[in-house]
Amino acid sequence: MQATRFYFDWSNYRTMLRLLRRDPPASARWKRYFGFLVGVPAVAAIHALCFALDPILFPSLRRTRVIAPTFCIGHARSGTTYLHRLMAADPQFSYPVMYELFFPSLLEKRMLRLLFRVDAATGSRLRRRLDAIEEARFAPTEDMHKTGFFVPEEDDAFLTWSLCSGFWILMFPFMGELDFYYVDEWPPRKRRRAMDFYKECVRRQIAANGGGTHLSKNPTFCGRVEALIETFPDARIVVPMRNPYETIPSLLKMLQVEWGLRGRDVRLIAKSLRVLADQSIDSYQRPLDVLAKHPEVRSSVVDYRELIAKPDVTMRRIYDELDLDVTPPAAEAFDSAAARGGHESDHRYSLEEFGLDAHEIRARLASLFDEYHWETEGDDARVQ
């Protein structure tokens, strides 16, 4: 097997430096600029070194294969997190937790896991400190998207230090000038290099977990379904569908809060939100269009309302359509979800708050509105 080297997107690096000079954050402008200028390549170089050492230090890595990975994609706020965490209860799957995403090397993962085992045996001071940081950092958006350092998260973040992860949009709200979404439309060579590197990150995660089928959840992967199939011809893909009148303003609100917390200019935020709203339409239509061109790919498209109302029945149907065995722990997780019922939130987000026209969204997604009858029912359950 030919070794895949660590991927670093120098084009994005130059663009991000230019954007930092042109529209710097409100505070610590030059400190942040020089930190990015020097710090990002330096950290990436460390990861690249560890990445190169992996097959030397762990020869068994060469025998690890990525077989039939499962991808949960769909517009953000459509139930992808709920779906992903139900499936993560199934031991047949391998997946990363958040902190591991920023350390793509197998060497780094094993060193960190050793560190946490030692910490647990000596009083858990490090874990308590991380829990405190987690609570402070994620509190402002906890009611919109529950996350944490030790829970399954979006593995697009494997590409963080490669500078081609959607994670960077949180700090660089320059939608339309930075593209981490339309991967299917990237130049072929760049797309293949980034996706081959992503596959190597997945392979290392499987090795770290001792085997299993990779499980991924990424709304941003709606823009790379073709690239996923190109990279993983045996992929399984599941797409939840939820009323866009609910999902689009919910996503815009979450990003608006994140960018506001980082002191970004309100005009820049407004511009990026407009671009993001347009991208949302693509997030609904592109996965279905690509899957229609690839009937050989095992896939399942699921109504969000069914997933919330009857998670046990719906998850078993998804497993059947993906040709997956329902393991006893998976069955228990599905039945427990059904017993608990759907999770609700008090938050309501309106299209009008963001200047969005419901009739335009209806027109652009007419076939889906007709199929799912979104205008004839209330969608009050709030699940991430």
Side-chain angles (χ1 to χ4, degrees):
M1 177 181 295
Q2 184 177 0
T4 298
R5 288 183 286 181
F6 190 91
Y7 176 66
F8 188 82
D9 195 321
W10 288 102
S11 175
N12 276 351
Y13 176 66
R14 291 189 292 270
T15 300
M16 293 159 89
L17 283 173
R18 175 176 58 80
L19 293 171
L20 276 175
R21 289 195 303 269
R22 192 192 73 190
D23 292 293
S27 61
R29 296 183 176 188
W30 292 109
K31 181 179 179 181
R32 296 190 185 195
Y33 176 81
F34 285 110
F36 189 88
L37 174 69
V38 177
V40 169
V43 172
I46 294 171
H47 291 310
L49 175 61
C50 293
F51 210 79
L53 289 173
D54 283 343
I56 299 172
L57 297 176
F58 308 105
S60 61
L61 177 62
R62 300 178 185 274
R63 298 189 296 274
T64 302
R65 297 291 181 269
V66 183
I67 300 173
T70 299
F71 297 96
C72 305
I73 63 174
H75 190 283
R77 323 300 293 153
S78 66
T80 53
T81 298
Y82 183 65
L83 173 66
H84 182 244
R85 292 182 182 171
L86 279 177
M87 297 181 77
D90 188 339
Q92 71 179 293
F93 289 115
S94 163
Y95 56 85
V97 296
M98 179 188 277
Y99 82 85
E100 293 178 310
L101 294 168
F102 303 103
F103 299 91
S105 159
L106 178 57
L107 172 60
E108 293 170 319
K109 295 178 194 299
R110 291 196 168 173
M111 290 178 64
L112 285 167
R113 290 185 179 189
L114 175 61
L115 173 63
F116 287 123
R117 287 198 297 272
V118 172
D119 177 61
T122 56
S124 300
R125 293 180 60 185
L126 175 60
R127 180 61 186 265
R128 288 198 299 271
R129 176 59 178 160
L130 289 174
D131 288 344
I133 295 172
E134 174 185 295
E135 183 176 357
R137 170 61 186 86
F138 300 123
T141 55
E142 178 72 8
D143 55 348
M144 289 182 272
H145 178 72
K146 295 183 183 298
T147 190
F149 295 134
F150 298 89
V151 298
E153 258 303 337
E154 298 174 14
D155 70 356
D156 167 71
F158 275 142
L159 305 173
T160 298
W161 296 108
S162 299
L163 294 189
C164 56
S165 165
F167 167 82
W168 287 105
I169 281 295
L170 296 178
M171 283 168 276
F172 287 82
F174 299 97
M175 301 290 295
E177 297 184 78
L178 278 172
D179 175 28
F180 303 109
Y181 173 79
Y182 294 99
V183 175
D184 283 347
E185 300 173 15
W186 285 3
R189 182 173 182 271
K190 176 179 178 177
R191 183 182 68 246
R192 285 194 296 269
R193 289 186 63 197
M195 293 303 295
D196 285 348
F197 174 69
Y198 168 74
K199 184 176 182 178
E200 282 300 303
C201 292
V202 168
R203 199 158 67 92
R204 283 158 169 78
Q205 189 66 50
I206 292 172
N209 291 342
T213 299
H214 183 65
L215 177 65
S216 165
K217 185 275 292 192
N218 292 280
T220 57
F221 278 14
C222 290
R224 67 180 75 179
V225 182
E226 193 72 59
L228 286 173
I229 296 171
E230 178 183 59
T231 308
F232 308 98
D234 57 352
R236 299 180 175 101
I237 298 175
V238 54
V239 187
M241 284 284 164
R242 183 182 180 185
N243 192 333
Y245 292 163
E246 295 287 327
T247 62
I248 295 176
S250 180
L251 172 63
L252 298 188
K253 188 65 176 182
M254 185 171 68
L255 270 296
Q256 183 186 59
V257 170
E258 287 281 359
W259 291 333
L261 290 171
R262 288 172 168 79
R264 287 299 187 171
D265 181 79
V266 292
R267 291 168 298 182
L268 178 63
I269 292 175
K271 178 182 177 182
S272 285
L273 290 177
R274 287 194 297 271
V275 176
L276 186 60
D278 193 63
Q279 181 179 294
S280 290
I281 303 299
D282 189 88
S283 294
Y284 274 90
Q285 198 60 54
R286 183 185 296 257
L288 302 181
D289 290 345
V290 174
L291 288 173
K293 293 191 302 181
H294 293 278
E296 77 281 3
V297 173
R298 286 168 291 187
S299 63
S300 177
V301 179
V302 57
D303 190 323
Y304 164 87
R305 295 161 298 188
E306 295 177 0
L307 177 63
I308 301 309
K310 298 180 178 180
D312 50 345
V313 175
T314 306
M315 291 303 301
R316 285 177 170 84
R317 177 175 67 80
I318 291 170
Y319 267 52
D320 182 62
E321 292 175 347
L322 298 181
D323 194 25
L324 290 168
D325 294 327
V326 179
T327 64
E332 182 179 353
F334 303 160
D335 293 340
S336 295
R340 291 193 303 270
H343 169 68
E344 294 191 4
S345 166
D346 294 330
H347 288 275
R348 301 293 184 271
Y349 307 107
S350 69
L351 297 170
E352 292 77 13
E353 180 180 354
F354 300 99
L356 300 176
D357 184 347
H359 297 293
E360 180 184 356
I361 294 173
R362 172 68 173 83
R364 296 178 68 181
L365 296 173
S367 62
L368 292 178
F369 271 87
D370 292 341
E371 179 178 356
Y372 290 97
H373 307 289
W374 282 322
E375 289 178 316
T376 62
E377 48 78 35
D379 181 11
D380 293 326
R382 295 297 192 268
V383 174
Q384 301 158 39

